Amino acid sequence: AIGKILIFMERQISEHAKKRKRPIKPFFNVRAHTNPLADNWFENTPTTPREFDWNGFYPEILAKQADGPPPRVEMADIGCGFGGLLFSLSPMFPKSLILGIEIREKVVEYVSTKILEQRKGSESVEPAALNIAVLRTNAMKYLPNLFEKGQLSKMFFLFPDPHFKKNNHRRRIITTELLSEYAYVLRVGGRLYTITDVKELYDWEVYHLEAHPLFQRISEEELAADEVAKVIVSGSDEGKKVERNKGEKWLAVYERISC
């Protein structure tokens, strides 16, 4: 099982990072932004979801599955960054497989290293992070290659790149076209969470979500009762940074509805 983790995850970890006991962000040279529309193919992208082998990402959990269909990824953090939300959600949903998707290679190296370190545990600390993993790919292009129709129960878009220039608005992660793909992989009743510290981007996202026939904003009462919504406000690295800088946050949660 450990060998499979190494094949799928440590392949992306630099020799320098492997030698450290704990991953430290300054040792990972990270670009703040990247072009999601660049014509890049990721070597681990399957043609169909059924072709993808998840055993190397969740070996301890999938190895215990004796009978019946194996558990599938249920939650996806799109543009997971340094994985803060993944580690917050892991103990909340110990029986659910959660995947972080990130396009930047060095960020994936950091999160992979941190996950592997927590899975090892120690004499005084139980192994953790068994139900979370990170995958380097482009969510704007390859989600239908990874997930079946109606597979996901939750999708997260935390502090995405605002792409301020008008010519770059097509790079934004929430658009009419992409929302149709998100509706495809989200089950009816599933929820899409988005939060940003840029009011203009928030207005853009709400405009497109409101206009889409397969999404409906949850009520204030439902939002108050949603424990996950409370976590995403400060459960990510970027969210904590905004709090330190005393910035504002705008949260929107939409539910996937039937046609």
Side-chain angles (χ1 to χ4, degrees):
I2 296 298
K4 288 185 178 180
I5 298 179
L6 297 176
I7 292 174
F8 283 90
M9 298 179 68
E10 288 194 15
R11 178 186 300 172
Q12 302 173 102
I13 301 174
S14 67
E15 291 300 321
H16 179 76
K18 289 180 186 177
K19 295 177 182 178
R20 302 195 60 85
K21 291 186 177 181
R22 294 182 59 191
I24 300 176
K25 293 178 188 176
F27 289 95
F28 291 80
N29 186 17
V30 177
R31 293 182 60 184
H33 307 290
T34 190
N35 180 8
L37 300 182
D39 190 19
N40 295 326
W41 176 259
F42 296 87
E43 63 177 13
N44 53 8
T45 304
T47 304
T48 66
R50 293 184 180 181
E51 294 178 4
F52 199 76
D53 185 2
W54 293 102
N55 287 287
F57 289 84
Y58 309 96
E60 292 86 355
I61 292 179
L62 296 181
K64 295 178 181 179
Q65 185 70 20
D67 301 316
R72 303 188 300 175
V73 172
E74 291 188 32
M75 306 179 196
D77 184 6
I78 310 300
C80 67
F82 290 102
L85 182 65
L86 296 176
F87 291 99
S88 295
L89 293 177
S90 179
M92 292 179 64
F93 301 94
K95 296 183 179 180
S96 297
L97 301 186
I98 307 170
L99 181 69
I101 293 178
E102 175 60 51
I103 196 171
R104 294 169 294 174
E105 183 176 7
K106 291 297 182 181
V107 178
V108 173
E109 289 181 6
Y110 171 84
V111 180
S112 298
T113 307
K114 189 174 179 180
I115 290 174
L116 289 169
E117 189 61 34
Q118 290 202 13
R119 287 182 180 181
K120 294 176 183 176
S122 65
E123 293 182 1
S124 58
V125 180
E126 289 289 326
L130 302 179
N131 63 328
I132 61 175
V134 62
L135 174 68
R136 181 173 182 252
T137 192
N138 189 336
M140 292 179 68
K141 294 184 177 183
Y142 303 125
L143 282 186
N145 297 70
L146 295 170
F147 305 122
E148 303 276 2
K149 180 179 180 180
Q151 177 174 335
L152 301 180
S153 64
K154 301 182 189 299
M155 296 184 72
F156 305 98
F157 301 84
L158 276 58
F159 303 97
D161 190 337
H163 293 293
F164 288 110
K165 294 181 180 179
K166 187 174 182 179
N167 289 341
N168 289 337
H169 284 182
R170 61 197 179 100
R171 299 181 181 181
R172 288 179 169 176
I173 196 67
I174 299 291
T175 64
T176 300
E177 295 78 9
L178 288 172
L179 283 174
S180 294
E181 290 201 6
Y182 305 153
Y184 175 81
V185 298
L186 263 178
R187 67 190 61 163
V188 174
R191 290 185 176 179
L192 183 153
Y193 299 77
T194 179
I195 188 171
T196 178
D197 58 337
V198 179
K199 182 60 163 60
E200 188 271 331
L201 179 61
Y202 167 80
D203 292 338
W204 164 283
E205 294 174 338
V206 168
Y207 172 81
H208 285 82
L209 281 159
E210 289 290 336
H212 201 284
L214 295 179
F215 287 98
Q216 177 176 289
R217 193 163 191 172
I218 67 173
S219 66
E220 290 298 323
E221 292 77 13
E222 290 173 311
L223 182 62
D226 191 326
E227 294 299 322
V228 174
K230 299 173 185 177
V231 171
I232 71 171
V233 172
S234 57
S236 69
D237 297 88
E238 189 65 27
K240 295 173 183 177
K241 179 181 177 182
V242 173
E243 289 184 351
R244 290 195 300 269
N245 295 333
K246 302 187 184 303
E248 293 186 81
K249 304 175 189 176
W250 286 273
L251 168 70
V253 181
Y254 282 76
E255 191 167 285
R256 166 70 158 89
I257 60 176
S258 59
C259 300

